[in-house]
Amino acid sequence: MKLTVTASGGNCPACGGILYLADTLRTHEEYNVEGSNFTPLGRVMSVAERLMTLCYLNFFADSAPEVLRHTLFVTDGPLALHGPLAPLKRRFVEHLGDLASWCTARGITAPLMVGIEKSGAFVEHAEQICEWIPVGHVMRLTNDYINRISGRSANNHYGVDEFYGRRFIYRTQAGDPLVITVPATAGLSPYDGSSEVEGWSAFPVLRLICEVLDSLQTRMYQHAVIPVALAHSAAALPLGVGRSVLTMMAQQNIPGLKLDMQAVQPPTYFKK
């Protein structure tokens, strides 16, 4: 059954009930009444970030196609959607494939898009095997290899349902490993198991992306590049200031709370 939900909501074609965006994203399935809800909120944030990237891609394609030649779109984390949101991955693969075909027909380099992981099991593994990868080279992780290092069964089809990019380990010219995910060429899903997607020709922009990443490395954070580091710096609030701002917002908007403009009180030993 196809469900259509706009910015103002929608209606279920079966029961006539009101539908919201959370219904189609299925984030309510992971809602915890009595505990933390970081997981469903993180899912929504993740898909919002990725949809925003697609919006920028579409905007440049419509208004300034030449910009796509000179722009690398960097995602903080792998190009994947997990949990209840995973089915959206198919639409991402279709959309990026259509856009890549559109670019090819006009002689434009397919959209340069990469996901960079800063932590997790694959980042730790990359650190362990880094010395075995020559500088400036890419390691393609086969399905069998991933199953072996992650303890999965040999016949497990890794990443088929979640990833719209293929994971690689790139050892930069500086000698540091980067775990990256890159979309496959139009018509291929990154982990569909076909012989085409297991070859290097399925990722024609991989070399160009790696060359760009070499120029964007930073020592500010491990496993990070300058765009990701700058984004975190611009979005983050210092712990004390952030707590103070959020506390005052709650005090001003929740009836019954006492308003205290100095939401973060000084330590008691300063009052003696």
Side-chain angles (χ1 to χ4, degrees):
M1 180 183 299
K2 183 178 180 180
L3 300 178
T4 301
V5 180
T6 65
S8 59
N11 295 98
C12 176
C15 68
I18 299 176
L19 295 176
Y20 300 96
L21 181 60
D23 296 318
T24 56
L25 294 180
R26 295 171 52 196
T27 51
H28 62 283
E29 297 178 13
E30 296 181 306
Y31 176 71
N32 188 341
V33 178
E34 299 180 350
S36 169
N37 281 290
F38 284 124
T39 297
L41 289 174
R43 305 278 195 215
V44 174
M45 181 183 70
S46 176
V47 74
E49 291 174 344
R50 284 150 178 75
L51 287 173
M52 184 62 72
T53 300
L54 293 188
C55 288
Y56 277 112
L57 283 167
N58 292 341
F59 172 77
F60 287 130
D62 291 337
S63 60
E66 288 298 314
V67 174
L68 295 177
R69 295 179 184 270
H70 312 290
T71 306
L72 175 63
F73 295 86
V74 182
T75 297
D76 184 8
L79 301 183
L81 294 166
H82 300 284
L85 300 175
L88 286 176
K89 162 260 178 181
R90 302 188 193 98
R91 302 293 175 260
F92 276 67
V93 170
E94 293 173 3
H95 187 86
L96 291 173
D98 291 342
L99 184 57
S101 298
W102 183 88
C103 289
T104 301
R106 287 157 179 77
I108 302 173
T109 303
L112 302 180
M113 192 173 182
V114 63
I116 300 178
E117 300 176 53
K118 304 191 304 298
S119 60
F122 285 90
V123 173
E124 294 174 2
H125 184 71
E127 286 284 354
Q128 294 172 349
I129 66 170
C130 176
E131 296 301 322
W132 297 94
I133 304 174
V135 170
H137 283 64
V138 173
M139 178 180 179
R140 180 170 55 86
L141 307 179
T142 64
N143 191 70
D144 291 340
Y145 185 87
I146 291 174
N147 287 336
R148 188 164 68 252
I149 67 172
S150 60
R152 293 176 171 87
S153 60
N155 59 353
N156 175 65
H157 297 290
Y158 178 83
V160 173
D161 297 322
E162 301 91 5
F163 281 77
Y164 57 99
R166 180 84 181 216
R167 183 182 269 126
F168 298 88
I169 298 176
Y170 173 54
R171 190 176 184 194
T172 66
Q173 295 294 340
D176 301 317
L178 286 178
V179 179
I180 61 176
T181 44
V182 177
T185 192
L188 296 177
S189 184
Y191 287 101
D192 62 14
S194 64
S195 58
E196 292 87 351
V197 83
E198 293 298 325
W200 293 106
S201 60
F203 304 90
V205 296
L206 176 60
R207 178 171 182 169
L208 180 56
I209 288 174
C210 290
E211 290 175 352
V212 174
L213 291 178
D214 271 324
S215 67
L216 295 176
Q217 274 197 280
T218 175
R219 296 290 184 179
M220 293 173 64
Y221 304 100
Q222 193 175 22
H223 309 297
V225 292
I226 291 174
V228 174
L230 291 177
H232 278 280
S233 176
L237 284 173
L239 183 59
V241 175
R243 177 186 171 189
S244 179
V245 170
L246 293 175
T247 301
M248 284 191 290
M249 288 177 61
Q251 291 171 344
Q252 292 172 357
N253 291 283
I254 300 179
L257 286 184
K258 180 181 177 182
L259 181 61
D260 181 1
M261 296 308 293
Q262 189 172 353
V264 179
Q265 294 294 323
T268 55
Y269 50 79
F270 281 158
K271 298 180 181 180
K272 296 179 179 179

